[in-house]
PDB file of all heavy atoms in Angstrom:
ATOM      1  N   THR A 255      92.032  47.072  95.077  1.00 98.00           N
ATOM      2  CA  THR A 255      93.044  47.866  94.389  1.00 98.00           C
ATOM      3  C   THR A 255      93.325  47.208  93.057  1.00 98.00           C
ATOM      4  O   THR A 255      93.394  45.963  92.981  1.00 98.00           O
ATOM      5  CB  THR A 255      94.337  47.956  95.206  1.00 98.00           C
ATOM      6  OG1 THR A 255      95.390  48.507  94.371  1.00 98.00           O
ATOM      7  CG2 THR A 255      94.802  46.609  95.728  1.00 98.00           C
ATOM      8  N   PRO A 256      93.477  47.960  91.979  1.00 98.00           N
ATOM      9  CA  PRO A 256      93.767  47.335  90.690  1.00 98.00           C
ATOM     10  C   PRO A 256      95.140  46.690  90.626  1.00 98.00           C
ATOM     11  O   PRO A 256      95.447  46.004  89.650  1.00 98.00           O
ATOM     12  CB  PRO A 256      93.635  48.500  89.698  1.00 98.00           C
ATOM     13  CG  PRO A 256      93.805  49.738  90.510  1.00 98.00           C
ATOM     14  CD  PRO A 256      93.275  49.419  91.876  1.00 98.00           C
ATOM     15  N   ALA A 257      95.957  46.889  91.667  1.00 98.00           N
ATOM     16  CA  ALA A 257      97.253  46.215  91.721  1.00 98.00           C
ATOM     17  C   ALA A 257      97.090  44.719  91.938  1.00 98.00           C
ATOM     18  O   ALA A 257      98.005  43.944  91.644  1.00 98.00           O
ATOM     19  CB  ALA A 257      98.110  46.809  92.844  1.00 98.00           C
ATOM     20  N   VAL A 258      95.935  44.302  92.474  1.00 98.00           N
ATOM     21  CA  VAL A 258      95.666  42.883  92.745  1.00 98.00           C
ATOM     22  C   VAL A 258      94.719  42.356  91.682  1.00 98.00           C
ATOM     23  O   VAL A 258      93.613  42.868  91.510  1.00 98.00           O
ATOM     24  CB  VAL A 258      95.056  42.693  94.146  1.00 98.00           C
ATOM     25  CG1 VAL A 258      94.660  41.231  94.368  1.00 98.00           C
ATOM     26  CG2 VAL A 258      96.032  43.144  95.220  1.00 98.00           C
ATOM     27  N   LYS A 259      95.141  41.317  90.973  1.00 98.00           N
ATOM     28  CA  LYS A 259      94.309  40.687  89.960  1.00 98.00           C
ATOM     29  C   LYS A 259      94.237  39.190  90.266  1.00 98.00           C
ATOM     30  O   LYS A 259      95.264  38.554  90.517  1.00 98.00           O
ATOM     31  CB  LYS A 259      94.888  40.917  88.563  1.00 98.00           C
ATOM     32  CG  LYS A 259      95.006  42.388  88.195  1.00 98.00           C
ATOM     33  CD  LYS A 259      95.773  42.608  86.897  1.00 98.00           C
ATOM     34  CE  LYS A 259      94.919  42.361  85.687  1.00 98.00           C
ATOM     35  NZ  LYS A 259      95.611  42.783  84.439  1.00 98.00           N
ATOM     36  N   CYS A 260      93.028  38.655  90.250  1.00 98.00           N
ATOM     37  CA  CYS A 260      92.872  37.230  90.523  1.00 98.00           C
ATOM     38  C   CYS A 260      91.636  36.699  89.821  1.00 98.00           C
ATOM     39  O   CYS A 260      90.717  37.461  89.488  1.00 98.00           O
ATOM     40  CB  CYS A 260      92.791  36.962  92.034  1.00 98.00           C
ATOM     41  SG  CYS A 260      91.319  37.607  92.836  1.00 98.00           S
ATOM     42  N   PRO A 261      91.568  35.388  89.575  1.00 98.00           N
ATOM     43  CA  PRO A 261      90.350  34.799  89.029  1.00 98.00           C
ATOM     44  C   PRO A 261      89.257  34.746  90.099  1.00 98.00           C
ATOM     45  O   PRO A 261      89.534  34.913  91.291  1.00 98.00           O
ATOM     46  CB  PRO A 261      90.790  33.383  88.621  1.00 98.00           C
ATOM     47  CG  PRO A 261      92.094  33.142  89.268  1.00 98.00           C
ATOM     48  CD  PRO A 261      92.631  34.429  89.773  1.00 98.00           C
ATOM     49  N   TYR A 262      88.010  34.531  89.652  1.00 98.00           N
ATOM     50  CA  TYR A 262      86.941  34.347  90.631  1.00 98.00           C
ATOM     51  C   TYR A 262      85.899  33.375  90.103  1.00 98.00           C
ATOM     52  O   TYR A 262      85.782  33.150  88.889  1.00 98.00           O
ATOM     53  CB  TYR A 262      86.305  35.684  91.025  1.00 98.00           C
ATOM     54  CG  TYR A 262      85.247  36.244  90.100  1.00 98.00           C
ATOM     55  CD1 TYR A 262      83.894  35.948  90.286  1.00 98.00           C
ATOM     56  CD2 TYR A 262      85.579  37.112  89.058  1.00 98.00           C
ATOM     57  CE1 TYR A 262      82.913  36.488  89.465  1.00 98.00           C
ATOM     58  CE2 TYR A 262      84.604  37.656  88.231  1.00 98.00           C
ATOM     59  CZ  TYR A 262      83.274  37.334  88.434  1.00 98.00           C
ATOM     60  OH  TYR A 262      82.308  37.862  87.609  1.00 98.00           O
ATOM     61  N   SER A 263      85.164  32.790  91.034  1.00 98.00           N
ATOM     62  CA  SER A 263      84.009  31.968  90.697  1.00 98.00           C
ATOM     63  C   SER A 263      82.850  32.415  91.571  1.00 98.00           C
ATOM     64  O   SER A 263      83.054  33.093  92.589  1.00 98.00           O
ATOM     65  CB  SER A 263      84.301  30.479  90.907  1.00 98.00           C
ATOM     66  OG  SER A 263      84.374  30.185  92.304  1.00 98.00           O
ATOM     67  N   ALA A 264      81.628  32.041  91.199  1.00 98.00           N
ATOM     68  CA  ALA A 264      80.470  32.460  91.989  1.00 98.00           C
ATOM     69  C   ALA A 264      79.329  31.473  91.831  1.00 98.00           C
ATOM     70  O   ALA A 264      79.114  30.899  90.760  1.00 98.00           O
ATOM     71  CB  ALA A 264      80.012  33.851  91.567  1.00 98.00           C
ATOM     72  N   LYS A 265      78.623  31.265  92.942  1.00 98.00           N
ATOM     73  CA  LYS A 265      77.332  30.596  92.962  1.00 98.00           C
ATOM     74  C   LYS A 265      76.346  31.615  93.512  1.00 98.00           C
ATOM     75  O   LYS A 265      76.493  32.073  94.639  1.00 98.00           O
ATOM     76  CB  LYS A 265      77.367  29.358  93.844  1.00 98.00           C
ATOM     77  CG  LYS A 265      78.343  28.279  93.384  1.00 98.00           C
ATOM     78  CD  LYS A 265      78.375  27.109  94.366  1.00 98.00           C
ATOM     79  CE  LYS A 265      79.384  26.057  93.926  1.00 98.00           C
ATOM     80  NZ  LYS A 265      79.473  24.949  94.924  1.00 98.00           N
ATOM     81  N   VAL A 266      75.366  31.982  92.696  1.00 98.00           N
ATOM     82  CA  VAL A 266      74.452  33.065  93.053  1.00 98.00           C
ATOM     83  C   VAL A 266      73.021  32.550  93.007  1.00 98.00           C
ATOM     84  O   VAL A 266      72.548  32.110  91.950  1.00 98.00           O
ATOM     85  CB  VAL A 266      74.607  34.265  92.102  1.00 98.00           C
ATOM     86  CG1 VAL A 266      73.676  35.399  92.524  1.00 98.00           C
ATOM     87  CG2 VAL A 266      76.056  34.753  92.077  1.00 98.00           C
ATOM     88  N   SER A 267      72.335  32.611  94.144  1.00 98.00           N
ATOM     89  CA  SER A 267      70.931  32.208  94.174  1.00 98.00           C
ATOM     90  C   SER A 267      70.045  33.431  94.012  1.00 98.00           C
ATOM     91  O   SER A 267      70.335  34.507  94.547  1.00 98.00           O
ATOM     92  CB  SER A 267      70.606  31.471  95.475  1.00 98.00           C
ATOM     93  OG  SER A 267      70.787  32.309  96.597  1.00 98.00           O
ATOM     94  N   ALA A 268      68.953  33.245  93.263  1.00 98.00           N
ATOM     95  CA  ALA A 268      68.049  34.355  92.957  1.00 98.00           C
ATOM     96  C   ALA A 268      66.683  33.785  92.603  1.00 98.00           C
ATOM     97  O   ALA A 268      66.556  32.593  92.256  1.00 98.00           O
ATOM     98  CB  ALA A 268      68.593  35.177  91.793  1.00 98.00           C
ATOM     99  N   PRO A 269      65.634  34.597  92.661  1.00 98.00           N
ATOM    100  CA  PRO A 269      64.309  34.122  92.263  1.00 98.00           C
ATOM    101  C   PRO A 269      64.309  33.564  90.840  1.00 98.00           C
ATOM    102  O   PRO A 269      65.008  34.074  89.961  1.00 98.00           O
ATOM    103  CB  PRO A 269      63.441  35.379  92.361  1.00 98.00           C
ATOM    104  CG  PRO A 269      64.138  36.245  93.360  1.00 98.00           C
ATOM    105  CD  PRO A 269      65.594  35.998  93.155  1.00 98.00           C
ATOM    106  N   ARG A 270      63.531  32.524  90.624  1.00 97.00           N
ATOM    107  CA  ARG A 270      63.480  31.867  89.318  1.00 97.00           C
ATOM    108  C   ARG A 270      63.090  32.819  88.193  1.00 97.00           C
ATOM    109  O   ARG A 270      63.445  32.622  87.038  1.00 97.00           O
ATOM    110  CB  ARG A 270      62.482  30.707  89.353  1.00 97.00           C
ATOM    111  CG  ARG A 270      62.967  29.479  90.100  1.00 97.00           C
ATOM    112  CD  ARG A 270      61.913  28.392  90.117  1.00 97.00           C
ATOM    113  NE  ARG A 270      62.413  27.156  90.712  1.00 97.00           N
ATOM    114  CZ  ARG A 270      62.999  26.170  90.038  1.00 97.00           C
ATOM    115  NH1 ARG A 270      63.145  26.266  88.730  1.00 97.00           N
ATOM    116  NH2 ARG A 270      63.430  25.089  90.658  1.00 97.00           N
ATOM    117  N   GLU A 271      62.324  33.859  88.523  1.00 97.00           N
ATOM    118  CA  GLU A 271      61.785  34.745  87.485  1.00 97.00           C
ATOM    119  C   GLU A 271      62.828  35.672  86.882  1.00 97.00           C
ATOM    120  O   GLU A 271      62.546  36.333  85.874  1.00 97.00           O
ATOM    121  CB  GLU A 271      60.652  35.597  88.068  1.00 97.00           C
ATOM    122  CG  GLU A 271      59.427  34.807  88.496  1.00 97.00           C
ATOM    123  CD  GLU A 271      59.586  34.106  89.841  1.00 97.00           C
ATOM    124  OE1 GLU A 271      60.571  34.418  90.561  1.00 97.00           O
ATOM    125  OE2 GLU A 271      58.745  33.254  90.179  1.00 97.00           O
ATOM    126  N   VAL A 272      64.010  35.793  87.491  1.00 98.00           N
ATOM    127  CA  VAL A 272      65.026  36.707  86.969  1.00 98.00           C
ATOM    128  C   VAL A 272      66.206  35.929  86.394  1.00 98.00           C
ATOM    129  O   VAL A 272      66.488  34.802  86.809  1.00 98.00           O
ATOM    130  CB  VAL A 272      65.530  37.705  88.046  1.00 98.00           C
ATOM    131  CG1 VAL A 272      64.377  38.496  88.621  1.00 98.00           C
ATOM    132  CG2 VAL A 272      66.306  36.996  89.146  1.00 98.00           C
ATOM    133  N   THR A 273      66.867  36.544  85.442  1.00 98.00           N
ATOM    134  CA  THR A 273      68.101  36.006  84.874  1.00 98.00           C
ATOM    135  C   THR A 273      69.283  36.690  85.556  1.00 98.00           C
ATOM    136  O   THR A 273      69.265  37.908  85.758  1.00 98.00           O
ATOM    137  CB  THR A 273      68.147  36.268  83.360  1.00 98.00           C
ATOM    138  OG1 THR A 273      67.062  35.574  82.742  1.00 98.00           O
ATOM    139  CG2 THR A 273      69.454  35.797  82.749  1.00 98.00           C
ATOM    140  N   VAL A 274      70.301  35.909  85.898  1.00 98.00           N
ATOM    141  CA  VAL A 274      71.497  36.442  86.548  1.00 98.00           C
ATOM    142  C   VAL A 274      72.675  36.300  85.591  1.00 98.00           C
ATOM    143  O   VAL A 274      72.884  35.244  84.984  1.00 98.00           O
ATOM    144  CB  VAL A 274      71.806  35.709  87.878  1.00 98.00           C
ATOM    145  CG1 VAL A 274      73.065  36.280  88.527  1.00 98.00           C
ATOM    146  CG2 VAL A 274      70.621  35.810  88.828  1.00 98.00           C
ATOM    147  N   LEU A 275      73.453  37.377  85.447  1.00 98.00           N
ATOM    148  CA  LEU A 275      74.681  37.368  84.655  1.00 98.00           C
ATOM    149  C   LEU A 275      75.801  37.974  85.492  1.00 98.00           C
ATOM    150  O   LEU A 275      75.558  38.778  86.389  1.00 98.00           O
ATOM    151  CB  LEU A 275      74.511  38.188  83.375  1.00 98.00           C
ATOM    152  CG  LEU A 275      73.383  37.799  82.417  1.00 98.00           C
ATOM    153  CD1 LEU A 275      73.271  38.823  81.296  1.00 98.00           C
ATOM    154  CD2 LEU A 275      73.606  36.401  81.852  1.00 98.00           C
ATOM    155  N   MET A 276      77.035  37.597  85.161  1.00 98.00           N
ATOM    156  CA  MET A 276      78.203  38.190  85.818  1.00 98.00           C
ATOM    157  C   MET A 276      79.298  38.418  84.786  1.00 98.00           C
ATOM    158  O   MET A 276      79.176  38.006  83.625  1.00 98.00           O
ATOM    159  CB  MET A 276      78.711  37.294  86.957  1.00 98.00           C
ATOM    160  CG  MET A 276      77.751  37.171  88.132  1.00 98.00           C
ATOM    161  SD  MET A 276      78.490  36.396  89.599  1.00 98.00           S
ATOM    162  CE  MET A 276      79.503  37.759  90.226  1.00 98.00           C
ATOM    163  N   SER A 277      80.362  39.077  85.217  1.00 98.00           N
ATOM    164  CA  SER A 277      81.507  39.328  84.338  1.00 98.00           C
ATOM    165  C   SER A 277      82.386  38.075  84.291  1.00 98.00           C
ATOM    166  O   SER A 277      83.569  38.094  84.621  1.00 98.00           O
ATOM    167  CB  SER A 277      82.311  40.523  84.852  1.00 98.00           C
ATOM    168  OG  SER A 277      82.680  40.331  86.212  1.00 98.00           O
ATOM    169  N   ALA A 278      81.775  36.996  83.879  1.00 98.00           N
ATOM    170  CA  ALA A 278      82.419  35.687  83.874  1.00 98.00           C
ATOM    171  C   ALA A 278      81.648  34.788  82.926  1.00 98.00           C
ATOM    172  O   ALA A 278      80.540  35.129  82.475  1.00 98.00           O
ATOM    173  CB  ALA A 278      82.430  35.100  85.292  1.00 98.00           C
ATOM    174  N   LEU A 279      82.196  33.621  82.628  1.00 98.00           N
ATOM    175  CA  LEU A 279      81.504  32.665  81.774  1.00 98.00           C
ATOM    176  C   LEU A 279      80.410  31.970  82.566  1.00 98.00           C
ATOM    177  O   LEU A 279      80.585  31.627  83.735  1.00 98.00           O
ATOM    178  CB  LEU A 279      82.500  31.644  81.221  1.00 98.00           C
ATOM    179  CG  LEU A 279      83.590  32.213  80.308  1.00 98.00           C
ATOM    180  CD1 LEU A 279      84.558  31.113  79.889  1.00 98.00           C
ATOM    181  CD2 LEU A 279      82.988  32.891  79.087  1.00 98.00           C
ATOM    182  N   ARG A 280      79.270  31.776  81.922  1.00 98.00           N
ATOM    183  CA  ARG A 280      78.134  31.137  82.577  1.00 98.00           C
ATOM    184  C   ARG A 280      78.327  29.622  82.604  1.00 98.00           C
ATOM    185  O   ARG A 280      78.758  29.012  81.636  1.00 98.00           O
ATOM    186  CB  ARG A 280      76.839  31.475  81.852  1.00 98.00           C
ATOM    187  CG  ARG A 280      76.586  32.963  81.705  1.00 98.00           C
ATOM    188  CD  ARG A 280      75.432  33.243  80.760  1.00 98.00           C
ATOM    189  NE  ARG A 280      74.142  32.921  81.374  1.00 98.00           N
ATOM    190  CZ  ARG A 280      73.037  32.637  80.696  1.00 98.00           C
ATOM    191  NH1 ARG A 280      73.095  32.578  79.368  1.00 98.00           N
ATOM    192  NH2 ARG A 280      71.914  32.401  81.318  1.00 98.00           N
ATOM    193  N   GLY A 281      77.967  29.040  83.739  1.00 97.00           N
ATOM    194  CA  GLY A 281      78.098  27.592  83.899  1.00 97.00           C
ATOM    195  C   GLY A 281      76.774  26.892  84.127  1.00 97.00           C
ATOM    196  O   GLY A 281      76.729  25.786  84.642  1.00 97.00           O
ATOM    197  N   GLY A 282      75.670  27.548  83.786  1.00 95.00           N
ATOM    198  CA  GLY A 282      74.372  26.933  83.970  1.00 95.00           C
ATOM    199  C   GLY A 282      73.749  27.289  85.302  1.00 95.00           C
ATOM    200  O   GLY A 282      74.276  28.092  86.076  1.00 95.00           O
ATOM    201  N   SER A 283      72.613  26.668  85.604  1.00 97.00           N
ATOM    202  CA  SER A 283      71.908  26.915  86.856  1.00 97.00           C
ATOM    203  C   SER A 283      71.304  25.625  87.366  1.00 97.00           C
ATOM    204  O   SER A 283      71.011  24.700  86.595  1.00 97.00           O
ATOM    205  CB  SER A 283      70.829  27.988  86.676  1.00 97.00           C
ATOM    206  OG  SER A 283      69.900  27.592  85.684  1.00 97.00           O
ATOM    207  N   ASN A 284      71.095  25.574  88.697  1.00 96.00           N
ATOM    208  CA  ASN A 284      70.559  24.390  89.350  1.00 96.00           C
ATOM    209  C   ASN A 284      69.471  24.796  90.327  1.00 96.00           C
ATOM    210  O   ASN A 284      69.452  25.932  90.824  1.00 96.00           O
ATOM    211  CB  ASN A 284      71.673  23.663  90.129  1.00 96.00           C
ATOM    212  CG  ASN A 284      72.830  23.247  89.246  1.00 96.00           C
ATOM    213  OD1 ASN A 284      72.628  22.597  88.228  1.00 96.00           O
ATOM    214  ND2 ASN A 284      74.042  23.629  89.630  1.00 96.00           N
ATOM    215  N   PRO A 285      68.544  23.881  90.652  1.00 96.00           N
ATOM    216  CA  PRO A 285      67.547  24.191  91.676  1.00 96.00           C
ATOM    217  C   PRO A 285      68.222  24.477  93.019  1.00 96.00           C
ATOM    218  O   PRO A 285      69.238  23.857  93.359  1.00 96.00           O
ATOM    219  CB  PRO A 285      66.690  22.925  91.736  1.00 96.00           C
ATOM    220  CG  PRO A 285      66.927  22.229  90.426  1.00 96.00           C
ATOM    221  CD  PRO A 285      68.333  22.558  90.051  1.00 96.00           C
ATOM    222  N   HIS A 286      67.666  25.399  93.768  1.00 97.00           N
ATOM    223  CA  HIS A 286      68.171  25.701  95.107  1.00 97.00           C
ATOM    224  C   HIS A 286      67.879  24.516  96.022  1.00 97.00           C
ATOM    225  O   HIS A 286      66.805  23.912  95.964  1.00 97.00           O
ATOM    226  CB  HIS A 286      67.509  26.969  95.632  1.00 97.00           C
ATOM    227  CG  HIS A 286      68.189  27.559  96.826  1.00 97.00           C
ATOM    228  ND1 HIS A 286      68.030  27.047  98.082  1.00 97.00           N
ATOM    229  CD2 HIS A 286      69.022  28.624  96.957  1.00 97.00           C
ATOM    230  CE1 HIS A 286      68.718  27.768  98.953  1.00 97.00           C
ATOM    231  NE2 HIS A 286      69.344  28.734  98.276  1.00 97.00           N
ATOM    232  N   ALA A 287      68.824  24.178  96.884  1.00 95.00           N
ATOM    233  CA  ALA A 287      68.699  22.992  97.734  1.00 95.00           C
ATOM    234  C   ALA A 287      67.523  23.074  98.698  1.00 95.00           C
ATOM    235  O   ALA A 287      66.911  22.049  99.029  1.00 95.00           O
ATOM    236  CB  ALA A 287      69.993  22.769  98.504  1.00 95.00           C
ATOM    237  N   SER A 288      67.195  24.297  99.162  1.00 95.00           N
ATOM    238  CA  SER A 288      66.161  24.409 100.201  1.00 95.00           C
ATOM    239  C   SER A 288      65.032  25.383  99.863  1.00 95.00           C
ATOM    240  O   SER A 288      64.115  25.542 100.663  1.00 95.00           O
ATOM    241  CB  SER A 288      66.803  24.836 101.520  1.00 95.00           C
ATOM    242  OG  SER A 288      67.469  26.082 101.363  1.00 95.00           O
ATOM    243  N   ASP A 289      65.105  26.027  98.686  1.00 96.00           N
ATOM    244  CA  ASP A 289      64.086  27.016  98.333  1.00 96.00           C
ATOM    245  C   ASP A 289      63.689  26.807  96.879  1.00 96.00           C
ATOM    246  O   ASP A 289      64.411  27.199  95.954  1.00 96.00           O
ATOM    247  CB  ASP A 289      64.627  28.434  98.549  1.00 96.00           C
ATOM    248  CG  ASP A 289      63.550  29.504  98.397  1.00 96.00           C
ATOM    249  OD1 ASP A 289      62.482  29.206  97.836  1.00 96.00           O
ATOM    250  OD2 ASP A 289      63.792  30.655  98.827  1.00 96.00           O
ATOM    251  N   SER A 290      62.520  26.193  96.673  1.00 96.00           N
ATOM    252  CA  SER A 290      62.091  25.849  95.317  1.00 96.00           C
ATOM    253  C   SER A 290      61.788  27.072  94.463  1.00 96.00           C
ATOM    254  O   SER A 290      61.662  26.967  93.238  1.00 96.00           O
ATOM    255  CB  SER A 290      60.854  24.954  95.372  1.00 96.00           C
ATOM    256  OG  SER A 290      59.776  25.630  96.022  1.00 96.00           O
ATOM    257  N   ALA A 291      61.674  28.253  95.093  1.00 97.00           N
ATOM    258  CA  ALA A 291      61.392  29.482  94.344  1.00 97.00           C
ATOM    259  C   ALA A 291      62.651  30.094  93.753  1.00 97.00           C
ATOM    260  O   ALA A 291      62.571  31.117  93.070  1.00 97.00           O
ATOM    261  CB  ALA A 291      60.699  30.493  95.254  1.00 97.00           C
ATOM    262  N   LYS A 292      63.806  29.474  94.014  1.00 98.00           N
ATOM    263  CA  LYS A 292      65.075  30.056  93.569  1.00 98.00           C
ATOM    264  C   LYS A 292      65.882  29.079  92.736  1.00 98.00           C
ATOM    265  O   LYS A 292      65.725  27.857  92.822  1.00 98.00           O
ATOM    266  CB  LYS A 292      65.907  30.500  94.783  1.00 98.00           C
ATOM    267  CG  LYS A 292      65.321  31.681  95.536  1.00 98.00           C
ATOM    268  CD  LYS A 292      66.264  32.173  96.611  1.00 98.00           C
ATOM    269  CE  LYS A 292      65.734  33.457  97.252  1.00 98.00           C
ATOM    270  NZ  LYS A 292      66.677  33.986  98.266  1.00 98.00           N
ATOM    271  N   LEU A 293      66.745  29.649  91.916  1.00 98.00           N
ATOM    272  CA  LEU A 293      67.758  28.895  91.188  1.00 98.00           C
ATOM    273  C   LEU A 293      69.139  29.363  91.628  1.00 98.00           C
ATOM    274  O   LEU A 293      69.317  30.517  92.033  1.00 98.00           O
ATOM    275  CB  LEU A 293      67.620  29.102  89.677  1.00 98.00           C
ATOM    276  CG  LEU A 293      66.387  28.514  88.987  1.00 98.00           C
ATOM    277  CD1 LEU A 293      66.383  28.919  87.510  1.00 98.00           C
ATOM    278  CD2 LEU A 293      66.347  26.998  89.122  1.00 98.00           C
ATOM    279  N   VAL A 294      70.126  28.475  91.515  1.00 98.00           N
ATOM    280  CA  VAL A 294      71.513  28.825  91.810  1.00 98.00           C
ATOM    281  C   VAL A 294      72.275  28.882  90.491  1.00 98.00           C
ATOM    282  O   VAL A 294      72.340  27.891  89.753  1.00 98.00           O
ATOM    283  CB  VAL A 294      72.169  27.805  92.758  1.00 98.00           C
ATOM    284  CG1 VAL A 294      73.632  28.181  93.005  1.00 98.00           C
ATOM    285  CG2 VAL A 294      71.413  27.721  94.081  1.00 98.00           C
TER     286      VAL A 294
END
């Protein structure tokens, strides 16, 4: 509901070949702990 407003954060893992963006400031990316084909 738009009556509720709050901040958010996210850690999103995805294949290395794609770029991920969100409606937030980017904080960089790191290797996935268990899947070398992905970045977080």
Side-chain angles (χ1 to χ4, degrees):
T255 168
V258 175
K259 300 171 80 171
C260 67
Y262 82 91
S263 72
K265 298 177 182 177
V266 182
S267 63
R270 286 179 174 270
E271 295 79 12
V272 303
T273 297
V274 180
L275 303 173
M276 293 192 76
S277 54
L279 297 177
R280 305 169 74 203
S283 59
N284 302 307
H286 195 282
S288 59
D289 188 344
S290 61
K292 292 187 174 183
L293 292 176
V294 178

